[in-house]
Amino acid sequence: MMRRHIRGGRTGAFLAAVWLALLSALVPCRAEYQLSPGDTVEITVAGMPELKQRVPIQLDGTVTLPIVGTIAAAGSTPADLRARVEMALAAKVLRQRTSDGRDHVVLLQPGDVAVAVAEYRPVYVNGDVLQPGQHPYRPQMTARHAIVLSGGVSTVRGRAASIGVEVVEVEREYRTTALALAREQVHAWRLAAELEGSESIKEQRLVETPIPAATLSEYLRTETSYLNIRLREYKNEKAHLQSATRMAGEQIETLTTQEKKEAQGLQTDIDELDRVNKLFGSGSLVSGRVTDARRAVLLSSTRHLQTISTLSQTKQQRDEYLFRLEKLDTQRRLEVLRDIKESQLRTGEMRTRLEAAAQKLQVYGRMASVDAANRGARPAITIIRRSGEGWDRLPASEDAVLLPGDAIEVVARADQVATAAVQ
């Protein structure tokens, strides 16, 4: 019984080996991946983590490693590159420091070096997709995967977001610009009223900016309040200048009268001084009387000069008030005209932005219908793949498996676009 059991076990193992051999013969052998510039490989050495390196393959097809130097990699398989690294390291004396601080020589054994592809060359998608460009390659990646990463099939090329989100943004821009344009038009109405000196704003028809009546009323209320403040400031300043001019005029009249009296008094003191000097010369008066007369002349002269100076300053101040009063209307008119010019420039810019937003909404409306029609459509796909020194154009389906470095062209079918246009 024991022999029969052993014989049966050997027979089962033999049949299993034959079955595996047959299966391996039926399954086609797949070529091992060949490295190319743009790939990144990770090289590790067992027991020596300090030698672990992740290096890209350069344009000349080589990789550069510490200790080893430059090694050819392009066109080789990872196994070939591993053998070259092992051979290069075998010719080097590798030392490793132990935990107790001593160095010892490391002898590499077959299989101690491992080479793996860390990052493959990206694939590139172009054509009728939302977001053309490159995408990282993943093993068993298909054309469908690449198209999904590009935002899906669409006749709208180079868009970074979905149409729905962009339409919302454009609508927000349109409404914001329309409100700003309406506010600027009401502002222009207020400037026109201020230029005319009116205390009320003449409401007109808004151009291309239909807004709620409540919003328009709020704009009018705000601008009317500002108009009243401006007019009140203007009237107050004008009244202040007129009052200051009138007071300066009254002061000038007073000082003029005072100056005449002081001039007469000065002349009287001068005549008195002449009379005293004559009497002093004839010996009829003492010197003290002459001194008093001279002091009186000096005092009168000083007082007269001060009055003349104050009168001159008051006249100059009155002339300045008159000049400011005369210039007040001109300055105010110039300021309003400048504000009107700036308002017209802003209005023009806002109308341009509003027209652009309206055109975007029209374009996105057509694009959205095309994209909606293209959902679920099967586009024409062409894979452009490197072959030796040239490139092959391979018609493919969405299930076609890609290779690193492939370029995918996606074209929405003309009949689908036409159907979307009719819809």
Side-chain angles (χ1 to χ4, degrees), residues 121 383-394 405-407:
R121 304 187 305 281
I383 297 176
I384 303 174
R385 180 171 295 166
R386 186 80 177 184
S387 177
E389 297 298 328
W391 296 85
D392 292 337
R393 298 180 61 88
L394 309 173
D406 282 351

Side-chain angles (χ1 to χ4, degrees), residues 68-94:
V68 175
T70 301
I71 298 178
S76 305
T77 65
D80 295 336
L81 181 58
R82 177 181 59 80
R84 292 173 187 162
V85 174
E86 281 186 349
M87 185 179 300
L89 288 176
K92 306 292 182 180
V93 178
L94 303 180

Side-chain angles (χ1 to χ4, degrees), residues 189-246:
W189 299 347
R190 192 265 294 173
L191 293 175
E194 186 175 352
L195 186 63
E196 296 173 358
S198 174
E199 296 182 357
S200 61
I201 297 177
K202 183 179 179 181
E203 184 177 348
Q204 305 175 27
R205 186 179 65 87
L206 292 176
V207 181
E208 301 175 356
T209 53
I211 63 173
T215 304
L216 178 59
S217 298
E218 181 65 21
Y219 290 165
L220 283 170
R221 186 186 64 81
T222 303
E223 291 294 339
T224 301
S225 299
Y226 191 75
L227 174 63
N228 294 332
I229 293 174
R230 291 272 295 178
L231 291 176
R232 186 163 53 251
E233 289 180 349
Y234 163 73
K235 291 179 179 179
N236 291 338
E237 185 176 2
K238 187 173 184 178
H240 170 72
L241 291 175
Q242 289 174 342
S243 176
T245 302
R246 184 174 60 256

Side-chain angles (χ1 to χ4, degrees), residues 3-15:
R3 291 179 179 177
R4 185 179 305 169
H5 179 73
I6 295 173
R7 189 181 304 114
R10 291 177 177 176
T11 304
F14 175 75
L15 291 176

Side-chain angles (χ1 to χ4, degrees), residues 48-271:
M48 302 189 71
E50 66 275 10
L51 294 182
K52 182 178 180 179
Q53 295 289 328
R54 176 175 288 198
V55 292
I57 300 178
Q58 305 298 325
L59 292 177
D60 60 357
T62 62
V63 293
T64 302
L65 302 174
I67 302 177
V68 175
T70 301
I71 298 178
S76 305
T77 65
D80 295 336
L81 181 58
R82 177 181 59 80
R84 292 173 187 162
V85 174
E86 281 186 349
M87 185 179 300
L89 288 176
K92 306 292 182 180
V93 178
L94 303 180
R95 297 182 179 275
Q96 189 176 38
R97 185 177 296 274
T98 61
S99 58
D100 57 1
R102 293 181 300 173
D103 290 341
H104 72 281
V105 178
V106 178
L107 298 178
L108 290 180
Q109 301 296 327
D112 284 350
V113 177
V115 175
V117 180
E119 295 179 9
Y120 293 92
R121 304 187 305 281
V123 295
Y124 304 86
V125 184
N126 189 26
D128 294 329
V129 291
L130 281 177
Q131 190 176 0
Q134 68 177 29
H135 302 285
Y137 175 82
R138 296 292 181 266
Q140 300 301 313
M141 186 178 189
T142 64
R144 178 180 285 104
H145 296 152
I147 293 174
V148 170
L149 291 175
S150 300
V153 179
S154 175
T155 56
V156 186
R157 304 186 182 189
R159 308 255 318 274
S162 64
I163 290 179
V165 175
E166 290 196 2
V167 169
V168 171
E169 293 297 330
V170 175
E171 286 182 352
R172 182 183 296 111
E173 179 184 357
Y174 180 86
R175 293 175 182 176
T176 303
T177 306
L179 290 174
L181 180 57
R183 184 167 55 248
E184 192 62 39
Q185 291 184 52
V186 177
H187 176 67
W189 299 347
R190 192 265 294 173
L191 293 175
E194 186 175 352
L195 186 63
E196 296 173 358
S198 174
E199 296 182 357
S200 61
I201 297 177
K202 183 179 179 181
E203 184 177 348
Q204 305 175 27
R205 186 179 65 87
L206 292 176
V207 181
E208 301 175 356
T209 53
I211 63 173
T215 304
L216 178 59
S217 298
E218 181 65 21
Y219 290 165
L220 283 170
R221 186 186 64 81
T222 303
E223 291 294 339
T224 301
S225 299
Y226 191 75
L227 174 63
N228 294 332
I229 293 174
R230 291 272 295 178
L231 291 176
R232 186 163 53 251
E233 289 180 349
Y234 163 73
K235 291 179 179 179
N236 291 338
E237 185 176 2
K238 187 173 184 178
H240 170 72
L241 291 175
Q242 289 174 342
S243 176
T245 302
R246 184 174 60 256
M247 292 177 62
E250 295 174 354
Q251 188 176 5
I252 289 172
E253 292 179 1
T254 303
L255 290 173
T256 301
T257 303
Q258 181 180 347
E259 187 271 334
K260 290 179 179 179
K261 292 180 179 180
E262 290 179 353
Q264 293 175 359
L266 175 60
Q267 186 62 43
T268 301
D269 291 338
I270 292 174
D271 293 342

